[in-house]
Amino acid sequence: MSKLYPWAEAASAYQIDYQKEYDNGVRGVLFDVDNTLVRHGEPATKQAKELFEHLRSIGLKTCIISNNKEPRVSPFAKEVGSYYIYKAGKPSVRGYEDAMKRIHTTPDTTIFIGDQIFTDIYVVSGSSKDFSTSITV
């Protein structure tokens, strides 16, 4: 697989069939926040809160992974009820590994949802680990 191509694409993080992902063995979802879940800088929306509630109801664990600072990421994560990693250092794999430790998943049971090729997709697709990635536009 090319480092610049995700395994799947979706028009929105809200259009992914997470139940299907769970049925296929996924147990954790890592999300970028800005321009993936909400527009840059926006607080958690009702749609975001409902998505995370749905993910919990089907048994998926979540972690928000962002290069942004804690004052941006922490309130958002609290509103949606998710773990979070701020100043993640993307595209370094370190932040992804920290997030998976936090939610007790592995690369083969975790998907990552993000909007940027170089910070969200490149490291995951090019990693020696078996991450699954999706890009939203």
Side-chain angles (χ1 to χ4, degrees):
M1 176 182 296
S2 170
K3 291 182 179 186
L4 297 179
Y5 292 97
W7 64 270
E9 293 183 47
S12 163
Y14 300 99
Q15 294 180 354
I16 296 169
D17 185 346
Y18 294 100
Q19 181 65 57
K20 181 179 176 184
E21 296 299 334
Y22 184 87
D23 293 345
N24 287 329
V26 170
R27 295 299 178 259
V29 185
L30 310 182
F31 286 98
D32 178 47
V33 69
D34 288 320
N35 299 318
T36 298
L37 292 169
V38 294
R39 290 186 183 137
H40 191 277
E42 285 186 353
T45 60
K46 179 181 178 195
Q47 185 180 30
K49 293 174 192 176
E50 289 173 350
L51 172 63
F52 279 77
E53 184 177 315
H54 171 67
L55 297 174
R56 283 189 295 277
S57 77
I58 60 177
L60 288 168
K61 299 173 186 174
T62 63
C63 188
I64 293 170
I65 176 172
S66 174
N67 283 344
N68 219 318
K69 296 177 183 170
E70 190 170 23
R72 165 66 178 135
V73 183
S74 176
F76 189 96
K78 184 176 182 179
E79 282 291 312
V80 299
S82 180
Y83 290 101
Y84 67 94
I85 303 287
Y86 67 96
K87 293 176 81 174
K90 297 184 294 181
S92 168
V93 75
R94 176 191 51 83
Y96 299 93
E97 290 172 334
D98 290 348
M100 287 184 292
K101 284 180 189 171
R102 221 167 257 189
I103 63 172
H104 306 287
T105 61
T106 60
D108 62 328
T109 63
T110 307
I111 59 173
F112 179 75
I113 313 298
D115 69 307
Q116 294 293 314
I117 292 292
F118 291 105
T119 56
D120 296 330
I121 303 306
Y122 179 80
V123 69
V124 177
S125 295
S127 173
S128 61
K129 311 235 183 236
D130 189 22
F131 285 101
S132 294
T133 62
S134 180
I135 189 168
T136 60
V137 290

